Amino acid sequence: REFDANVPYSHNGWIDSVYILNEKKENLMSEIDELYDELYNIFKTSDIEKYKLKTSERYYELCNSFYLSPFEMKRREVSFIPKFKGIIQRDSIEQYILKFYGNGRVVGINIPFEPVALKFFSDNEEDNLIYEQALFHRKKTGDKLSLIR
C-alpha cells in the first residue's frame, strides 16, 4: 500500500553518489579493507573523536531518523566504541564478499550467511562479537569511499 507522509528532515543519502558497480572489485575490496583496518585501530585505541569523524554522515542521518535531540545524540556517544573483556580482533578481508545496493551507488561486504557489516570480536571466549554496519559510497569521482549507512 502507498501513502503520502511528511517527515521533518531530509536525507540526501547516496542519491548524488558515483555509480560504483562497474569499478574493479579488487580495488573496492582493498579500499574497504583499509577502512576496516581504520575502524579496527579506532576500536583498539577507543578513539571516539576519530570514530565520530569517520561516521559523522551516517550518525547524523541516523539520529535525525530517530528524532534525537542534540543532547540525546551527545549522550549516545559513550556507546560508540565497543567494550570487550579481551583483545579486539577482526576477520581477514578474504572471508568477505561484495554486495551492491542503491542502484549501484552503495557497496557493503559480508561474510556469507552473516550480516552486511564489518565484524569485530574478542579473543576472550566469553565476550560477544559485534557487527559494525558499514555501507559505503563515493561522493564524487576520485573520492575515497566513505560510510553512508
Side-chain angles (χ1 to χ4, degrees):
R1 227 163 215 237
E2 291 185 28
F3 63 91
D4 290 328
N6 291 318
V7 292
Y9 57 83
S10 175
H11 293 163
N12 290 332
W14 52 84
I15 198 154
D16 296 322
S17 300
V18 175
Y19 185 78
I20 58 177
L21 186 61
N22 293 334
E23 291 185 24
K24 288 185 177 180
K25 308 305 182 239
E26 55 274 359
N27 292 350
L28 289 170
M29 285 297 280
S30 177
E31 198 171 342
I32 292 171
D33 191 32
E34 286 178 29
L35 292 161
Y36 190 10
D37 207 43
E38 285 179 45
L39 282 172
Y40 173 62
N41 287 314
I42 287 169
F43 289 170
K44 281 188 348 185
T45 60
S46 297
D47 192 332
I48 191 74
E49 293 308 315
K50 279 187 181 175
Y51 184 82
K52 286 170 33 179
L53 283 171
K54 188 68 52 196
T55 63
S56 61
E57 183 177 10
R58 176 181 75 179
Y59 187 61
Y60 176 77
E61 288 193 359
L62 176 73
C63 289
N64 275 343
S65 297
F66 287 106
Y67 305 100
L68 299 181
S69 70
F71 172 76
E72 291 168 317
M73 289 171 67
K74 185 74 175 159
R75 193 181 66 182
R76 289 176 181 256
E77 287 179 5
V78 296
S79 63
F80 281 170
I81 306 292
K83 305 283 189 256
F84 290 106
K85 293 176 188 167
I87 297 170
I88 190 168
Q89 300 181 22
R90 59 163 275 191
D91 279 315
S92 167
I93 198 72
E94 286 80 25
Q95 294 184 38
Y96 288 85
I97 56 173
L98 286 172
K99 300 279 185 154
F100 292 92
Y101 304 94
N103 295 321
R105 298 177 190 282
V106 177
V107 64
I109 60 174
N110 77 303
I111 296 171
F113 308 107
E114 293 188 23
V116 177
L118 303 174
K119 183 178 174 182
F120 298 93
F121 54 95
S122 171
D123 67 345
N124 182 321
E125 291 179 12
E126 295 176 14
D127 241 341
N128 291 330
L129 60 89
I130 66 147
Y131 292 100
E132 176 77 8
Q133 180 181 350
L135 295 175
F136 305 93
H137 72 136
R138 195 177 308 287
K139 291 181 185 182
K140 297 179 202 162
T141 303
D143 282 358
K144 290 188 173 238
L145 290 174
S146 61
L147 279 166
I148 185 67
R149 294 280 184 273

